[in-house]
Amino acid sequence: MKLSINKSRSLWWIISATIIIIGIISMVISWQQIGAPLRPSLDFVGGTRLQFERDCTKPGNCDQPIDINVVREAAKAQGLGDSSIQVITDKQSGKENGVLIRTKNLDAQQRTRLQDAISEKIGAFDPQKNQIDTVGPTVGRELFQSGLTSLIVSFIGIIVYMSFRFQLDYAVFAIIALFHDVLITVGTFSILGLLFGTEVDSLFIVALLTITGFSVNDTVVIYDRIRETVNSNAERSFNDIVDDAVNQTLTRSLNTTLTVLLTLLAIFLFGGETLRNFSLALIIGFTMGAYSSIFIASTLLSWWRTRSGKQVHRGVNTEEAKQ
């Protein structure tokens, strides 16, 4: 079955615009509530991260599941009611026997008091498994600035490369497709931050950079096929050429995306807390990357070339190409 993407391109654009607008609204709400479009982790705002796991070698210490509300009450009693608290799974037993707490900067005495208060409520902790990290706000700002700079540099590099390999309009629509993928990924995490308290860390910036590379690769494959067909069949309509190019590369694009998504799904399910949000960002971004390459970058290029009357490459007009 042949896919005619240009016949329904308004539908694809409306779907993307709707998702992006919902994400932007979420970012505005998040900014009003916490002063940032996304819920930042310890990496960006600075503070103390404490991870405690119960000692299950002691009889009866791990019989009862951890009640996160009890942990919140214990933290609140220490003046830390605004802390981010999660119940985590013990890698050895596979049971939820630990807690992860992200809070403001604490000195040694405050950390000890908090640990003792929580231990009294849910059981004794294993000192060998306790983890305490402190990040200063200066480091957080540097991480954010370096990540944002890397993202901007990657976009500029892609524009230069696409303009040299194809033409400027190809590069512009490829970048629009990349913005589409990044905005949807960021918007989704903003929504997750509002609903479930999901935080973004330095790995989220790495995920965005990876998404741009994956997405532009799919777009280049389709653009290459469009360029080849245009140069050899200049008399055909550009809409038909784009539809054919998408259909010829569709199986490859879907197979590549699905195999990568299976790997990412395994990391999401079994990779642990540290990699969960990273893999989730890649799953969202790679899915949107495949979608935007087929339904956004290609249809926008087709719309522009048809509207402007440009058909072939490097300044050759249609009449010359026919001769």
Side-chain angles (χ1 to χ4, degrees):
M1 185 182 70
K2 183 179 178 180
L3 185 65
S4 299
I5 61 169
N6 279 296
K7 286 185 177 179
S8 303
R9 62 190 178 198
S10 296
L11 175 62
W12 316 132
W13 298 347
I14 290 171
I15 291 172
S16 294
T18 301
I19 298 173
I20 289 172
I21 289 171
I22 292 172
I24 291 174
I25 292 172
S26 174
M27 285 188 274
V28 171
I29 295 172
S30 178
W31 191 285
Q32 292 174 340
Q33 291 186 358
I34 63 175
L38 301 171
R39 188 175 294 276
S41 72
L42 186 68
D43 287 356
F44 294 122
V45 297
T48 302
R49 184 180 72 92
L50 306 100
Q51 181 173 318
F52 304 129
E53 290 190 29
R54 293 189 298 190
D55 186 356
C56 294
T57 60
K58 295 184 177 181
N61 198 48
C62 298
D63 289 349
Q64 298 297 323
I66 294 176
D67 187 343
I68 193 169
N69 293 320
V70 172
V71 180
R72 291 188 192 280
E73 288 299 322
K76 188 176 181 180
Q78 299 294 318
L80 303 172
D82 58 346
S83 302
S84 171
I85 301 173
Q86 293 175 276
V87 177
I88 59 174
T89 302
D90 185 351
K91 294 180 180 179
Q92 294 181 350
S93 65
K95 296 181 179 180
E96 294 183 335
N97 284 321
V99 291
L100 177 65
I101 303 170
R102 294 182 177 90
T103 186
K104 63 183 182 180
N105 283 318
L106 304 177
D107 58 30
Q109 189 176 8
Q110 290 173 315
R111 293 196 296 265
T112 301
R113 284 203 304 265
L114 177 62
Q115 180 179 343
D116 292 343
I118 297 174
S119 178
E120 288 178 7
K121 299 292 184 180
I122 65 174
F125 295 126
D126 185 347
Q128 305 258 339
K129 297 181 179 179
N130 292 347
Q131 299 180 27
I132 299 174
D133 302 311
T134 300
V135 177
T138 302
V139 175
R141 283 195 298 270
E142 290 176 354
L143 281 171
F144 176 77
Q145 290 170 359
S146 61
L148 189 60
T149 301
S150 300
L151 199 60
I152 293 171
V153 169
S154 70
F155 273 65
I156 294 173
I158 289 169
I159 290 176
V160 173
Y161 167 75
M162 296 289 286
S163 299
F164 176 78
R165 180 164 180 176
F166 300 100
Q167 287 186 7
L168 181 59
D169 53 353
Y170 280 70
V172 169
F173 295 125
I175 289 297
I176 290 174
L178 292 183
F179 272 117
H180 166 279
D181 304 337
V182 170
L183 277 175
I184 289 181
T185 305
V186 172
T188 302
F189 267 77
S190 177
I191 294 170
L192 293 175
L194 287 176
L195 297 179
F196 306 108
T198 303
E199 298 177 341
V200 296
D201 54 17
S202 54
L203 283 178
F204 185 73
I205 301 294
V206 177
L208 293 182
L209 289 167
T210 309
I211 289 166
T212 59
F214 183 88
S215 179
V216 79
N217 177 67
D218 261 358
T219 304
V220 165
V221 170
I222 296 174
Y223 278 1
D224 252 335
R225 192 59 55 90
I226 292 172
R227 181 179 60 177
E228 291 171 4
T229 309
V230 166
N231 287 336
S232 60
N233 297 277
E235 71 281 354
R236 296 181 61 190
S237 73
F238 203 85
N239 286 346
D240 288 342
I241 290 173
V242 170
D243 284 347
D244 279 350
V246 168
N247 280 281
Q248 290 170 27
T249 58
L250 185 62
T251 301
R252 174 207 175 275
S253 297
L254 292 179
N255 287 340
T256 301
T257 303
L258 287 174
T259 51
V260 172
L261 288 179
L262 287 174
T263 305
L264 291 174
L265 184 61
I267 296 174
F268 177 77
L269 294 175
F270 309 112
E273 290 292 330
T274 305
L275 295 176
R276 184 154 295 158
N277 288 344
F278 173 70
S279 57
L280 178 60
L282 290 181
I283 289 171
I284 297 169
F286 284 11
T287 303
M288 288 299 102
Y291 174 86
S292 67
S293 297
I294 298 170
F295 297 106
I296 303 301
S298 300
T299 56
L300 283 173
L301 179 65
S302 180
W303 167 80
W304 171 253
R305 288 262 166 164
T306 303
R307 181 176 178 273
S308 63
K310 294 174 66 178
Q311 182 101 332
V312 296
H313 287 254
R314 303 303 174 198
V316 180
N317 61 43
T318 305
E319 294 301 322
E320 290 173 344
K322 288 179 179 179
Q323 295 172 8

